[in-house]
């Protein structure tokens, strides 16, 4: 009787141990696979989740709440399917019943550079504020809230002892750089506080939102803006609805936006900053007692630096593939954005899609994109020009150089996706201190 019980107990221990070891191995495999996936895909520039697989119980609560559908379950393990696409909603962290998810910047291998911020969104440079995604927190609502709050700190910074109180009509109280959600909200609060301001953007109003693909569904929270009222709504909205909200802000405040101004340098100090930018008619100088940097973290698209690139049929983002119906289009680049653009164009009826890449394979891109690309090539809907570089862009022609020499390709439009120039060197050049975060909360 006793020995039977002992035998039963021993059998139970063996079963539990075997199952435990099996699950641990599955978790290790999953963890290793996840590490590979994350390494290949790159990390998002702002907060993103990591899952502690030792703690995760596979409740799947996080999977259901992710507005971007980025979490998946396999073999009882939850993993982030496409971390590079995370925009930091953070709903997975809240939904996890066992606190297995935390939101971090970067990873142990890949650091993410963030400006050091003091209270009130002020950088280490007195009178220079940082609002929105540039500070590390993504999301439209966060960007707007921070834009409002940064302006709350301006009068305090200007009242500090020793700040020059110049009486000069050319000197505004705040120069706001970037007219995305953070910059727009900052400008509205300047109107409320009767601060004189200038709002500059290298492109147009709307920031990253303006560059989302046509009709993209965005998950937002409502923000209450003074003078304007409620902006956005909780849940899904289309990009176009958000853009009309931004137009409403501009009319209600009202705001005037200096578009087409790329800020390239900032000199001076609190009380008298000189903001240098490249404008439509050459170099411009804008003077502000304080500066709010609301330039996001997505960077400025890298250019090819070839003759003819300045023409209007050369762009750096695909927003609406349908507009290229009946056109011959060359995409340039080998990363996910270039492939996604080429694949989208290849699916538009009557569009002749080409993709030029200087290497001979697309191993850096997500496997899903590589598969779709291959499918379009096999179907004859997309022509690849591997190991080629663009040498010149003409009105209806592009000169490519490849292993066989120069080739003239009949092309109406060019979409360049060769990466972006991140804001870190610019921030360092103007004295803003940067910290690199390696997977830290
Ligand atoms: C594909 C995608 C999907 C997203 N989905 C969601 C979502 O569903 N919900 C959500 O809440 N958020 C989402 N986000 C994140 C959200 O768009 C950003 O967090 C938000 O736009 C940040 O606002 P911002 O004002 O800080 O920066 P941005 O929107 O990036 O605006 C920065 C502005 O600064 C300008 N600028 C940059 N450098 C200079 C310079 N040197 N001189 C002059 N101007 C300059 C840029 O042209 C830009 O207009 C998404 C982002 C992406 C890319």
């Amino acid at each position: 009787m006793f020995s039977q019980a002992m035998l039963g107990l021993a059998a139970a221990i063996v079963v539990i141990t075997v199952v435990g070891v099996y699950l641990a191995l599955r978790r290790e495999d999953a963890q290793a696979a996840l590490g590979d996936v994350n390494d290949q895909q790159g990390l998002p520039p702002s907060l993103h989740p990591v899952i502690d697989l030792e703690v995760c119980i596979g409740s799947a609560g996080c999977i259901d709440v992710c507005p971007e559908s980025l979490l998946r379950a396999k073999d009882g393990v939850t993993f982030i399917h496409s971390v590079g696409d995370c925009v930091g909603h953070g709903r997975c962290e809240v939904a996890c019943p066992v606190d297995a998810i935390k939101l971090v910047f970067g990873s142990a291998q890949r650091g993410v550079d963030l400006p050091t911020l003091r209270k009130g969104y002020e950088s280490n440079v007195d009178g220079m504020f940082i609002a929105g995604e540039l500070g590390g927190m993504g999301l439209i609502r966060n960007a707007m809230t921070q834009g409002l709050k940064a302006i709350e700190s301006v009068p305090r910074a200007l009242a500090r002892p020793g700040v020059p109180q110049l009486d000069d009509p050319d000197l505004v109280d705040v120069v706001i750089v970037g007219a995305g959600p953070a910059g727009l909200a900052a400008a509205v609060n300047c109107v409320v506080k009767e601060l004189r301001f200038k709002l500059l953007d290298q492109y147009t109003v709307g920031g990253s939102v303006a560059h989302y693909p046509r009709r993209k569904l965005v998950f937002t929270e409502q923000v209450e803006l003074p003078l304007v009222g409620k902006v956005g709504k909780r849940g899904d909205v289309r990009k176009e609805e958000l853009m009309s909200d931004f137009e409403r802000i501009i009319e209600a405040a009202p705001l005037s936006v200096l578009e087409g101004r790329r800020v390239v340098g900032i000199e001076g100090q609190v009380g008298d900053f000189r903001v240098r930018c490249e404008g439509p008619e050459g170099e411009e100088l804008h003077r502000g007692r304080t500066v709010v940097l609301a330039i996001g973290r997505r960077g400025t698209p890298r250019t090819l630096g070839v003759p003819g690139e300045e023409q209007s049929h050369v762009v750096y983002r695909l927003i609406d593939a349908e507009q290229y119906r009946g056109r011959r289009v060359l995409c340039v680049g080998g990363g996910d954005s270039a492939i996604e653009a080429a694949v989208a164009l290849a699916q538009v009826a009557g569009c002749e899609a080409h993709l030029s890449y200087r290497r001979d394979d697309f191993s850096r891109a997500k496997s899903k994109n590589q598969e779709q690309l291959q499918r379009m090539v096999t179907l004859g809907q997309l022509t690849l020009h591997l190991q080629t570089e663009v040498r010149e862009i003409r009105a209806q022609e592009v000169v490519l150089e490849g292993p066989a020499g120069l080739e003239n390709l009949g092309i109406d439009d060019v979409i360049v996706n060769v990466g972006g120039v991140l804001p870190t060197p610019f921030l360092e050049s103007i004295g803003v201190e940067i910290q690199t975060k390696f997977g830290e909360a």
Side-chain angles (χ1 to χ4, degrees):
M1 181 76 182
F2 175 74
S3 62
Q4 248 183 0
M6 287 295 280
L7 267 177
L9 185 63
I13 290 172
V14 169
V15 169
I16 290 168
T17 312
V18 168
V19 169
V21 168
Y22 172 76
L23 284 177
L25 288 174
R26 292 306 286 258
R27 275 164 194 247
E28 262 175 35
D29 282 354
Q31 184 96 62
L34 177 60
D36 284 352
V37 169
N38 287 353
D39 248 25
Q40 281 162 19
Q41 291 172 355
L43 294 167
S46 53
L47 276 176
H48 61 90
V50 283
I51 303 173
D52 185 340
L53 295 182
E54 297 297 321
V55 181
C56 173
I57 53 166
S59 73
C62 54
I63 299 178
D64 300 336
V65 296
C66 175
E68 312 291 328
S69 307
L70 300 181
L71 292 128
R72 303 266 194 285
K74 198 173 175 214
D75 300 329
V77 171
T78 306
F79 67 99
I80 307 154
H81 164 68
S82 177
V83 72
D85 292 332
C86 177
V87 292
H89 292 286
R91 295 166 69 89
C92 51
E93 185 189 34
V94 178
C96 179
V98 291
D99 290 339
I101 298 184
K102 66 175 177 167
L103 299 179
V104 298
F105 293 106
S107 72
Q109 294 77 29
R110 293 194 190 188
V112 163
D113 292 335
L114 293 176
T116 312
L117 289 188
R118 289 185 274 166
K119 210 168 152 240
Y121 298 95
E122 198 168 9
S123 71
N124 63 301
V125 181
D126 285 350
M128 196 180 283
F129 297 87
I130 286 179
E133 198 163 277
L134 180 62
M137 294 282 283
L139 302 183
I140 296 158
R141 181 173 190 265
N142 288 338
M144 291 196 142
T145 309
Q146 292 184 12
L148 290 174
K149 286 190 178 164
I151 295 303
E152 297 291 322
S153 310
V154 164
R156 190 172 32 81
L158 287 175
R160 285 190 193 123
V163 175
Q165 306 294 331
L166 303 175
D167 185 18
D168 186 331
D170 283 346
L171 186 65
V172 295
D173 297 310
V174 195
V175 173
I176 303 165
V177 188
L184 286 172
V188 168
N189 213 9
C190 284
V191 178
V192 174
K193 300 215 149 336
E194 297 183 357
L195 294 167
R196 293 176 59 228
F197 71 96
K198 284 183 181 176
L199 175 56
L200 318 172
D201 198 288
Q202 60 184 349
Y203 303 125
T204 52
V205 165
S208 295
V209 179
H211 299 289
Y212 293 167
R214 190 170 71 104
R215 296 191 51 74
K216 178 182 163 44
L217 268 181
V218 188
F219 189 90
T220 54
E221 303 275 344
Q222 207 163 55
V223 190
E224 180 82 34
L225 281 190
L227 305 175
V228 181
K230 292 184 173 36
V231 175
K233 63 178 185 209
R234 189 163 203 279
D236 287 340
V237 281
R238 295 261 173 218
K239 164 203 171 160
E240 286 72 14
E241 285 176 68
L242 274 175
M243 289 304 291
S244 38
D245 271 353
F246 295 159
E247 276 163 30
R248 189 162 56 87
I249 293 173
I250 287 173
E251 275 167 29
L255 307 176
S256 106
V257 188
L258 297 169
E259 295 181 332
R261 269 77 173 186
R262 173 169 302 163
V263 172
V264 290
I266 302 178
E267 284 103 35
Q269 64 281 308
V270 60
D272 190 10
F273 282 113
R274 293 177 300 283
V275 179
R276 278 187 299 114
C277 62
E278 289 163 1
E281 276 148 34
E283 181 136 321
E284 292 177 10
L285 194 67
H286 299 275
R287 290 174 58 209
R289 292 177 214 275
T290 59
V291 173
V292 173
L293 294 174
I295 59 176
R297 297 182 56 75
R298 308 270 156 187
T300 301
R302 187 168 281 128
T303 57
L304 296 172
V306 297
E309 196 173 357
E310 67 294 341
Q311 297 171 85
S312 60
H313 66 286
V314 183
V315 297
Y316 297 87
R317 281 185 182 96
L318 174 70
I319 293 180
D320 182 7
E322 278 297 322
Q323 82 182 74
Y324 295 99
R325 193 175 281 269
R327 311 278 294 174
R328 299 167 301 174
V329 190
L330 176 70
C331 298
V332 185
D336 287 310
S337 306
I339 296 177
E340 281 165 18
V343 167
L345 291 167
Q347 290 166 340
V348 171
C351 174
E352 187 185 307
H354 298 258
L355 176 61
S356 155
Y357 184 37
R358 64 194 164 89
R359 295 178 200 264
D360 61 0
D361 71 57
F362 294 93
S363 52
R364 279 191 313 125
K366 291 176 192 163
S367 44
K368 187 186 87 188
N369 281 335
Q370 293 185 39
E371 283 158 26
Q372 286 187 332
L373 178 75
Q374 200 45 58
R375 201 157 56 84
M376 289 300 140
V377 173
T378 310
L379 289 172
Q381 286 171 234
L382 175 64
T383 310
L384 289 185
H385 304 268
L386 294 177
Q387 292 181 284
T388 62
E389 291 195 39
V390 175
R391 292 289 171 230
E392 189 179 344
I393 302 173
R394 300 178 185 151
Q396 290 191 316
E397 199 173 59
V398 168
V399 182
L400 287 183
E401 183 169 8
L406 293 178
E407 179 194 0
N408 290 8
L409 203 63
I411 288 293
D412 304 305
D413 302 288
V414 180
I415 301 175
V416 181
N417 283 118
V418 290
V421 183
L422 290 174
T424 306
F426 167 69
L427 293 177
E428 285 173 334
S429 75
I430 59 174
V432 172
E433 195 179 279
I434 302 291
Q435 291 175 303
T436 307
K437 302 271 186 188
F438 289 94
E440 294 157 62

